[in-house]
């Protein structure tokens, strides 16, 4: 199949690379010439384990190419995927569909024959029908179908998620479009991965419902963690006890400083807004958003209290600022709430993150970036673990404690046990839910 992928952001690039690895002929399109030049040079503009090698393999195999010329890419395509950004619109929480609709109009003008226009971007219910209206209005002469094909990729594990998905969701009202999408995903069908065909609105809702549920699960365990701190219970054991129940499962039950990233904050806000638009308030989702914001602020209080009630003049080493490990994504990361508050409180903040500096330098002014966790802790008054990178899971705690001005740790990812930390020479330790 010939595929045009419009947008080379996280979703577009991963999807385009993986589709080419299925054996399809894929052209990825972006308006940014510098990004296309980088991709043509074999360099990936985002950090995603294994993506660079897979991209180079398929470029060399002649199945994958990059261009700024949307018209040429779309002309003979069997399917055109829209994978542009849908950021939260300022002021009202809606997903901003400006880029999606602009792409739809450009695609319509470029089409030379039948194609399926597939929305890969996360969009509110009803968007795919709007896309069809835009295309029909722009090119009433052209034959086309629309399909919704939401992505369910976890940053840091995106390639595995694409190649071995829990499910593929395809929303369409056309048998012809269903046949095209079936051919595109044939390699997964042959390996018996579930492919769920629905109508357009159902596919759109599945994406929002899934992300909102996962955000709710994270927020729920963080609320239970707060109660554990009051009652003396251990959230790690509570999570394990809950997760062993097959009806609940153990994923997304790890207490921490709140959820962040490119999906959960944006999608919960959008779903809450959709509910308001349809006079059907999403009260649980609205509460999740509020509680998650409260959780991030509570982490600031933990660090300040650990430092004796004030961080003014204190040196604090921050381990990890990306919203999760194995990504360079800083979007809505808890660090963006916590670190500026510490800097604003007069702290001298040192940051160590294997991949966070590229985005973080502009987002976290007033901090010092360091490459070594041990160097960052020297003469520090406190170390704070914000992201559970593997590099921080087996640190020589005794070595760190020995070089600190005051050996204190705020373990906001519950990586270590208080017993081990104190045994290593730390005089004070706080975690989440313990």
């Amino acid at each position: 199949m010939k595929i045009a992928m419009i947008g080379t952001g996280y979703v577009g690039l991963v999807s385009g690379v993986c589709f080419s690895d299925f054996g399809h002929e894929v052209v990825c399109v972006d308006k940014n010439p510098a990004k296309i030049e980088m991709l043509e040079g074999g360099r990936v503009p985002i950090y995603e384990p294994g993506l660079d090698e897979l991209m180079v393999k398929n470029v060399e195999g002649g199945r994958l190419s990059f261009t700024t010329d949307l018209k040429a890419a779309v002309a003979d395509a069997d399917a055109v995927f829209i994978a542009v950004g849908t950021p939260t619109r300022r002021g009202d929480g809606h997903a901003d569909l400006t880029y999606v609709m602009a792409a739809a109009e450009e695609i319509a003008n470029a089409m030379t024959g039948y194609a399926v226009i597939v929305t890969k971007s996360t969009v509110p219910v009803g968007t795919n029908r709007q896309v069809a209206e835009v295309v029909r209005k722009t090119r009433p002469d052209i034959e086309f179908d629309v399909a919704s094909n939401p992505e369910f990729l976890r940053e840091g594990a995106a390639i595995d998620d694409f190649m071995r998905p829990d499910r593929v969701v395809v929303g369409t009202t056309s048998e012809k479009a269903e046949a095209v999408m079936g051919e595109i995903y044939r390699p997964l069908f042959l390996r018996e991965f579930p492919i769920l065909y629905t109508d357009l609105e159902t596919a759109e809702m599945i994406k929002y419902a899934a992300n909102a549920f996962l955000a709710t699960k994270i927020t729920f365990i963080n609320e239970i963690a707060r109660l554990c701190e009051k009652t003396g219970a251990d959230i790690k054991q509570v999570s394990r006890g809950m997760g062993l129940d097959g009806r609940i499962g153990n994923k997304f039950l790890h207490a921490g400083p709140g959820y962040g990233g490119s999906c959960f904050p944006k999608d919960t806000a959008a779903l809450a807004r959709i509910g308001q638009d349809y006079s059907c308030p999403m009260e649980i989702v609205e509460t999740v958003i509020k509680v998650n914001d409260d959780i991030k602020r509570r982490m600031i209080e933990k660090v300040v209290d650990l430092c004796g009630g004030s961080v003014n003049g204190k040196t604090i080493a921050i381990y990890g600022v990306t919203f999760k490990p194995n990504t360079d994504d800083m979007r809505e990361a808890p660090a963006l709430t916590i670190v500026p508050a510490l800097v604003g409180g007069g702290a001298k903040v040192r940051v160590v993150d294997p991949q966070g500096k590229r985005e973080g330098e502009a987002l976290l002014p007033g901090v010092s970036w360091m490459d070594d966790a041990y160097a960052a802790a020297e003469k520090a008054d406190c170390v704070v673990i914000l992201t559970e990178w593997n590099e921080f899971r087996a640190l020589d705690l005794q070595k760190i404690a020995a070089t600190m001005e005051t050996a204190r740790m705020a373990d906001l990812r519950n990586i270590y046990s208080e017993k081990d930390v104190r045994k290593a020479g730390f005089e004070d330790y706080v975690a989440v839910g313990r």
Side-chain angles (χ1 to χ4, degrees):
M1 302 293 284
K2 292 184 177 181
I3 295 172
M5 184 67 63
I6 312 304
T8 61
Y10 186 84
V11 172
L13 186 57
V14 171
S15 299
V17 169
C18 289
F19 277 141
S20 68
D21 205 55
F22 284 173
H24 302 307
E25 185 179 321
V26 180
V27 181
C28 292
V29 182
D30 202 284
K31 289 180 178 292
N32 186 341
K35 184 184 279 190
I36 293 299
E37 185 179 346
M38 177 184 287
L39 290 166
E40 287 180 328
R43 291 172 292 138
V44 176
I46 58 173
Y47 177 73
E48 179 62 38
L51 183 60
D52 48 356
E53 295 96 335
L54 196 63
M55 184 183 81
V56 170
K57 168 192 165 186
N58 285 286
V59 169
E60 290 176 349
R63 294 179 295 274
L64 178 64
S65 60
F66 305 96
T67 184
T68 56
D69 189 347
L70 182 144
K71 189 172 183 179
V74 169
D76 298 317
D78 299 297
V80 184
F81 284 77
I82 298 175
V84 296
T86 54
T88 300
R89 197 163 66 194
R90 283 186 179 180
D92 63 6
H94 265 304
D96 188 341
L97 299 178
T98 304
Y99 302 123
V100 172
M101 296 308 163
E105 187 173 341
E106 285 191 61
I107 291 164
N109 282 321
M111 289 172 66
T112 58
Y114 175 83
V116 182
I117 301 172
V118 189
T119 304
K120 199 75 175 161
S121 305
T122 301
V123 294
V125 178
T127 299
N128 280 276
R129 294 197 187 276
Q130 292 178 42
V131 167
E133 288 175 14
V134 168
V135 175
R136 202 170 290 116
K137 183 179 179 181
T138 306
R139 287 287 302 280
D141 60 308
I142 203 75
E143 184 188 0
F144 72 96
D145 283 307
V146 295
S148 174
N149 180 215
E151 55 84 17
F152 300 96
L153 306 177
R154 295 169 299 160
E155 293 190 40
I159 293 172
D160 190 62
D161 285 347
F162 200 101
M163 299 296 193
R164 285 175 280 276
D166 292 328
R167 78 294 200 194
V168 174
V169 175
V170 176
T172 186
T173 57
S174 158
E175 290 185 4
K176 191 172 182 180
E178 186 174 318
V180 170
M181 296 301 291
E183 190 62 31
I184 289 172
Y185 281 106
R186 182 174 171 77
L188 296 182
F189 173 78
L190 293 173
R191 291 158 58 204
E192 299 186 341
F193 288 104
I195 299 178
L196 175 65
Y197 291 97
T198 72
D199 57 53
L200 292 167
E201 288 79 8
T202 300
E204 292 164 337
M205 184 63 81
I206 287 170
K207 170 65 175 182
Y208 277 113
N211 275 357
F213 183 81
L214 295 175
T216 300
K217 199 172 180 184
I218 293 169
T219 305
F220 177 82
I221 204 64
N222 282 334
E223 274 218 307
I224 295 295
R226 186 178 186 184
L227 187 58
C228 284
E229 292 174 3
K230 301 289 187 181
T231 61
D234 184 336
I235 191 61
K236 293 198 77 169
Q237 294 297 324
V238 171
S239 296
R240 178 167 168 74
M242 290 174 62
L244 289 171
D245 187 326
R247 299 167 300 175
I248 297 172
N250 61 3
K251 293 181 179 178
F252 293 87
L253 281 182
H254 303 288
Y259 64 75
S262 61
C263 292
F264 291 176
K266 175 172 68 73
D267 293 352
T268 49
L271 184 58
R273 186 64 199 189
I274 293 167
Q276 292 167 11
D277 289 348
Y278 284 86
S279 299
C280 183
M282 298 287 98
E283 295 181 29
I284 291 175
V285 176
E286 290 173 0
T287 301
V288 164
I289 295 168
K290 177 187 177 299
V291 172
N292 189 61
D293 289 340
D294 292 343
I295 288 164
K296 293 177 183 179
R297 287 191 287 270
R298 193 160 59 86
M299 298 301 115
I300 300 167
E301 295 170 6
K302 278 182 175 288
V303 177
V304 172
D305 289 345
L306 185 65
C307 292
S310 173
V311 295
N312 188 36
K314 302 286 175 61
T315 298
I316 299 177
I318 303 287
Y319 292 169
V321 289
T322 54
F323 88 94
K324 63 183 287 190
N326 297 321
T327 181
D328 58 357
D329 198 339
M330 292 284 297
R331 284 174 287 186
E332 302 292 334
L336 297 181
T337 299
I338 297 165
V339 173
L342 299 177
V343 173
K348 300 172 184 175
V349 177
R350 303 168 179 168
V351 173
V352 182
D353 190 291
Q355 295 293 334
K357 186 177 179 180
R358 187 175 64 86
E359 285 191 23
E361 275 189 309
L363 296 171
L364 296 173
V367 307
S368 301
W369 291 85
M370 304 184 73
D371 296 324
D372 182 69
Y374 297 100
E378 286 181 15
K379 301 296 181 183
D381 298 283
C382 178
V383 296
V384 180
I385 300 175
L386 267 183
T387 311
E388 66 277 31
W389 285 91
N390 282 338
E391 288 89 332
F392 305 141
R393 288 184 177 275
L395 294 167
D396 185 337
L397 299 181
Q398 194 168 352
K399 180 179 177 181
I400 290 174
T403 65
M404 293 180 69
E405 184 71 26
T406 311
R408 305 183 183 111
M409 177 185 287
D411 181 4
L412 304 185
R413 294 290 182 174
N414 292 343
I415 291 176
Y416 296 103
S417 71
E418 182 172 5
K419 180 182 177 182
D420 289 342
V421 171
R422 290 190 180 277
K423 185 178 179 181
F426 280 81
E427 64 181 59
D428 211 348
Y429 170 86
V430 294
V432 178
R434 295 191 289 169

